């Protein structure tokens, strides 16, 4: 995947991370315009699908081992985020037995390999499915969006493990598909830009709008720097301004 597409994909991920932050989610969750929440959930689903396709493309470019590494990292991250949300939820509800199933650090998850990682990620996902409708769960990050993200990551990793390198889809065809998918993500996030503006007017709302705006600036940073080196994509969303 070229640098421009990589940066565009990173930008979408940064915006999703910002919007799903607990403080920012309180600004838009349950508040108008209602289409923001619906469109954000759809964007998250489409973004996870694009990530899976990007992993396939990396496999076509650099071999199945590279594709597996990308998908493995994506799965580890998605499992860790939901596991920590569930940890908080089970601590606050005194569900100690359930807590032991999900109380994993990023290092713990990173040590898991192949089927063991798939199995543990699936356990975390299933624990989230069981807990998502419990009082307080959504406010702690146990949301349908997180469950969808983890399910997509599980499916992507399982797929890249099961497909032999010789059967990986044609590189040029896959690159064109990914470019089209990312173009769709950019259209969708452009519409979310207009909806996000409507959450301004309060200190929390203004912080959300500003951090969203700053994350959007990651877009279109392809090319090289003055030394002829490709710039590194920004993977971490900007911190909200101090109150």
């Amino acid at each position: 995947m070229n640098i421009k597409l990589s940066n565009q994909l990173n930008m979408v991920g940064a915006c999703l991370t910002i919007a799903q932050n607990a403080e920012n989610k309180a600004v838009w969750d349950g508040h108008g315009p209602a289409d923001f929440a619906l469109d954000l959930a759809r964007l998250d689903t489409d973004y996870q699908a694009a990530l899976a396709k990007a992993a396939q493309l990396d496999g076509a470019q650099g071999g199945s081992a590279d594709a597996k590494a990308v998908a493995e990292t994506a799965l580890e991250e998605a499992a860790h985020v939901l596991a920590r949300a569930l940890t908080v939820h089970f601590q606050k509800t005194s569900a100690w037995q359930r807590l032991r199933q999900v109380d994993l650090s990023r290092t713990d998850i990173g040590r898991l390999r192949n089927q063991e990682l798939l199995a543990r990620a699936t356990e975390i996902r299933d624990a989230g499915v069981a807990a998502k409708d419990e009082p307080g769960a959504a406010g702690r990050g146990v949301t349908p969006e997180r469950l969808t993200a983890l399910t997509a990551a599980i499916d992507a990793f399982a797929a890249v493990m099961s497909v032999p390198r010789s059967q990986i889809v044609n590189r040029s065809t896959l690159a064109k598909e990914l470019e089209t998918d990312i173009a769709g993500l950019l259209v969708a996030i452009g519409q979310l830009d207009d909806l996000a503006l409507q959450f301004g007017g309060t200190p929390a709302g203004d912080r959300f709008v500003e951090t969203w705006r700053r994350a959007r600036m990651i877009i279109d940073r392809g090319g090289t720097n003055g030394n002829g080196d490709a710039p590194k994509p920004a993977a971490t969303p900007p911190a909200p301004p101090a109150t």
Side-chain angles (χ1 to χ4, degrees), residues 32-66:
D35 274 13
F36 184 86
L38 295 174
D39 291 351
L40 188 73
R42 187 176 302 112
L43 178 71
D44 197 358
T45 299
D46 292 344
Y47 167 72
Q48 296 299 331
L51 280 182
K53 191 166 290 185
Q56 271 190 288
L57 179 59
D58 284 345
Q61 292 173 332
S64 57
D66 290 343

Side-chain angles (χ1 to χ4, degrees), residues 153-166:
I154 289 170
D155 292 345
F157 186 60
V160 82
M161 283 183 60
S162 63
V163 177
R165 181 178 178 179
S166 60

Side-chain angles (χ1 to χ4, degrees), residues 61-234:
Q61 292 173 332
S64 57
D66 290 343
K68 178 185 173 185
V70 171
E72 185 174 32
T73 298
L75 177 56
E76 289 171 355
E77 290 295 337
H80 177 240
V81 171
L82 184 60
R84 299 323 299 170
L86 285 165
T87 295
V88 174
H89 178 61
F90 293 150
Q91 285 173 340
K92 290 191 173 184
T93 57
S94 300
W96 309 119
Q97 184 172 353
R98 299 165 75 189
L99 172 64
R100 287 192 288 271
Q101 297 176 332
V102 301
D103 189 7
L104 299 171
S105 68
R106 181 64 178 80
T107 300
D108 292 332
I109 293 174
R111 292 193 180 109
L112 303 174
R113 289 291 179 268
N114 300 334
Q115 293 300 327
E116 187 181 19
L117 174 60
L118 274 176
R120 201 59 186 269
T122 301
E123 288 177 5
I124 293 169
R125 190 271 314 276
D126 292 346
V129 170
K132 68 181 177 64
D133 294 324
E134 296 173 3
R140 294 157 191 155
V142 186
T143 63
E145 293 80 13
R146 292 293 183 196
L147 293 168
T148 297
L150 179 52
T151 297
I154 289 170
D155 292 345
F157 186 60
V160 82
M161 283 183 60
S162 63
V163 177
R165 181 178 178 179
S166 60
Q167 295 179 18
I168 293 176
V169 69
N170 178 271
R171 171 180 169 178
S172 61
T173 299
L174 189 58
K176 289 178 182 178
E177 289 179 3
L178 181 60
E179 186 172 358
T180 299
D181 291 348
I182 291 178
L185 293 177
L186 297 182
V187 171
I189 206 164
Q191 295 171 347
L192 283 165
D193 288 343
D194 295 332
L195 296 177
L197 290 174
Q198 301 179 50
F199 295 113
T202 66
D206 289 343
R207 286 194 297 272
F208 169 51
V209 172
E210 175 61 15
T211 51
W212 176 278
R213 184 191 67 80
R214 289 167 59 191
R216 290 285 279 119
M217 294 171 64
I218 298 173
I219 192 170
D220 288 345
R221 294 175 56 203
T224 61
N225 59 28
N227 298 321
D229 299 321
K232 295 180 180 179

